[in-house]
Amino acid sequence: MAPPDNNHYADTGRTRQKSRTRDALIDAVRDLMARGEDPSVSDVAEAAGISRTTAYRYFPDKESLLNAAMPQTGERSLLGEHPPLDVVERMARTLDAHFAFMRRWDPQLRAALKASIAPGAQQPSLRGGRAVRWYEEALAPLAETHPHLDRHALAVRLRAVAGIESKVWLTGVGGLNSDEADAVMRENALDILRAAMARDPLPSGR
């Protein structure tokens, strides 16, 4: 039998107590991830001192728990309201929002990175390629202006220079502070974007 849907469970009856339970589960998953673990819903329930059955009422799977603990992971776009039409501006806004996300959740992201490279490890939940989707959304206008550009491949290239892996190297080996590292990643990503657009000029007649 599938775990019950949690969409409305916390909003009906004894809402104050349910809110405390939900918060305890979210706090527990954040703490476990900051310690380098990639916990299941059952692991989180045990850490929070809450029964598995109760935990699944709030979060039927690990993905829903992660999206509650780190809300940006569930978003399809980081562009916010009234996104610009210019692709470079869209990418810059997305990069800034991504870097803010990385600063906020730095311990958890570093833990997920560490877990992902451990021998025999499976890909942790935080290593699901969400940033590539955010970048693809930022690049969406290229479908009209630069139709021959492979937007997914370009998003992957951008993510390669603007993720937690680059941040760890720039701060740990490169000796930069967090803001300096963000500035380097931003400049590198935008340089790649501009170069890709220059190599694939607008179709004639546009």
Side-chain angles (χ1 to χ4, degrees):
M1 178 173 165
D5 189 298
N6 71 311
N7 287 342
H8 305 294
Y9 178 74
D11 299 324
T12 58
R14 296 181 300 165
T15 54
R16 226 175 253 184
Q17 178 182 336
K18 288 180 177 179
S19 179
R20 287 195 296 269
T21 301
R22 185 178 185 277
D23 288 346
L25 290 165
I26 290 173
D27 288 343
V29 71
R30 288 173 177 169
D31 289 343
L32 289 170
M33 294 188 70
R35 282 187 247 157
E37 300 183 30
D38 183 36
S40 65
V41 176
S42 296
D43 295 332
V44 173
E46 182 178 355
I50 294 168
S51 74
R52 289 177 56 192
T53 300
T54 298
Y56 277 113
R57 288 191 182 120
Y58 293 84
F59 302 106
D61 50 44
K62 187 162 66 173
E63 189 76 8
S64 61
L65 179 56
L66 177 65
N67 288 342
M70 304 170 71
Q72 292 94 331
T73 63
E75 294 180 4
R76 298 296 303 181
S77 170
L78 297 184
L79 287 166
E81 296 182 359
H82 311 299
L85 296 177
D86 181 80
V87 173
V88 175
E89 291 180 20
R90 289 168 65 93
M91 194 67 237
R93 182 182 291 191
T94 297
L95 288 165
D96 291 342
H98 187 195
F99 297 159
F101 169 74
M102 288 196 292
R103 286 193 297 272
R104 182 177 182 184
W105 303 110
D106 184 80
Q108 288 85 353
L109 292 169
R110 287 175 183 261
L113 175 59
K114 181 179 178 181
S116 72
I117 60 177
Q122 295 184 343
Q123 196 74 303
S125 299
L126 278 178
R127 309 288 295 166
R130 293 172 181 84
V132 171
R133 295 198 294 272
W134 295 335
Y135 291 6
E136 286 182 300
E137 176 63 22
L139 300 173
L142 293 178
E144 292 294 325
T145 62
H146 295 70
H148 302 300
L149 259 180
D150 185 334
R151 296 187 304 283
H152 175 74
L154 179 55
V156 170
R157 289 181 63 202
L158 295 170
R159 170 61 182 81
V161 300
I164 188 62
E165 305 86 355
S166 299
K167 184 72 173 274
V168 168
W169 191 93
L170 288 167
T171 55
V173 180
L176 304 183
N177 64 37
S178 181
D179 289 342
E180 290 169 339
D182 289 349
V184 168
M185 292 190 295
R186 190 181 198 272
E187 184 175 357
N188 287 346
L190 294 181
D191 282 349
I192 289 172
L193 172 57
R194 292 188 183 101
M197 294 170 63
R199 284 195 301 271
D200 182 45
L202 296 174
S204 59
R206 289 206 175 215

